[in-house]
Amino acid sequence: RLGLERADTAEKALTVIVDLLEKYGQGGNCMESHMAFTYYNSFLIADRKEAWVLETSGKYWAAEKVEGGVRNISNQLSITTKIDREHPGLREYAKSKGWWDGEKEFDFAATYSYVNTARMTTSRGRYCEGYKLLNKHKGSITSEIMMEILRDKESGINMEGGFMTTGSMVSVLPQQANLPCIHFFTGTPDPAR
């Protein structure tokens, strides 16, 4: 929210977020219940001209500029070796922890997570299913198709059960400055409605 408030481009919003992350860190319970459950965050940040994926682990982070096609995030790190911006101490910290030897190519997701990155797009899970649904419509995604994807319960994109998806957002960002941006937000506690 502060990135949206303080920046007028996607890259400036990225800078706002990483500056705040460096100064304040992240944390706090991600549920309203008394059960303690926290995790680090990922962000899709876009404006009319460019898009970025920002993924975090504690105060460390990596960002990838989206160059085309489709891109999704979902409860796991997905930035691998294409890193366009990063925390200045990202690699040194990984070396100090013994997660990376400093010799082989640096892979953020493989180094900072427990997920086997080779299986992310093939094993059934929210990331994989979202990737498949987006690629199915690659080149012809409309706001209506994006809403269908975000409503999809079978894939786990719209979660129900112990964890519930309670909000979704779809934005139309025309590259032509004379056309308005349009933003759709979930109006009920369940995006399927």
Side-chain angles (χ1 to χ4, degrees):
R1 290 180 183 145
L2 294 175
L4 289 170
E5 174 189 282
R6 298 175 185 180
D8 60 354
T9 69
E11 188 167 13
K12 287 179 186 176
L14 168 70
T15 299
V16 167
I17 295 167
V18 299
D19 287 350
L20 290 167
L21 180 64
E22 181 68 25
K23 187 172 182 179
Y24 299 105
Q26 62 183 314
N29 203 358
C30 66
M31 299 179 67
E32 291 181 7
S33 73
H34 296 290
M35 181 179 89
F37 181 74
T38 62
Y39 61 87
Y40 300 126
N41 294 284
S42 296
F43 304 88
L44 288 170
I45 308 166
D47 62 30
R48 291 178 188 264
K49 297 185 177 166
E50 66 183 4
W52 289 82
V53 174
L54 169 63
E55 296 182 335
T56 68
S57 178
K59 72 176 185 175
Y60 298 97
W61 55 272
E64 176 186 340
K65 187 173 183 179
V66 178
E67 300 293 344
V70 296
R71 194 66 166 74
N72 67 317
I73 57 173
S74 182
N75 295 7
Q76 65 189 54
L77 299 176
S78 63
I79 295 174
T80 58
T81 58
K82 184 186 179 304
I83 301 171
D84 296 298
R85 288 184 55 189
E86 65 186 64
H87 183 281
L90 180 75
R91 295 172 196 236
E92 254 336 285
Y93 183 72
K95 278 174 67 175
S96 75
K97 292 292 196 181
W99 302 338
W100 178 59
D101 63 11
E103 299 294 321
K104 65 181 178 186
E105 184 175 30
F106 184 79
D107 180 322
F108 178 66
T111 304
Y112 275 82
S113 71
Y114 60 88
V115 175
N116 178 340
T117 56
R119 293 187 356 211
M120 284 190 320
T121 56
T122 57
S123 63
R124 183 155 170 79
R126 292 178 73 212
Y127 180 85
C128 176
E129 295 303 310
Y131 182 81
K132 284 195 253 180
L133 288 168
L134 288 169
N135 272 295
K136 176 180 172 186
H137 300 286
K138 189 174 173 180
S140 62
I141 296 176
T142 63
S143 54
E144 292 83 7
I145 288 172
M146 196 64 228
M147 288 177 202
E148 284 177 32
I149 291 171
L150 291 172
R151 286 181 180 120
D152 193 282
K153 290 188 186 239
E154 184 179 328
S155 67
I157 301 296
N158 184 5
M159 293 191 306
E160 57 184 352
F163 293 99
M164 301 283 292
T165 300
T166 57
S168 291
M169 175 181 171
V170 173
S171 293
V172 179
L173 308 173
Q175 290 183 338
Q176 302 89 337
N178 63 324
L179 296 176
C181 295
I182 302 168
H183 307 281
F184 299 93
F185 297 89
T186 305
T188 69
D190 181 351
R193 297 188 188 127

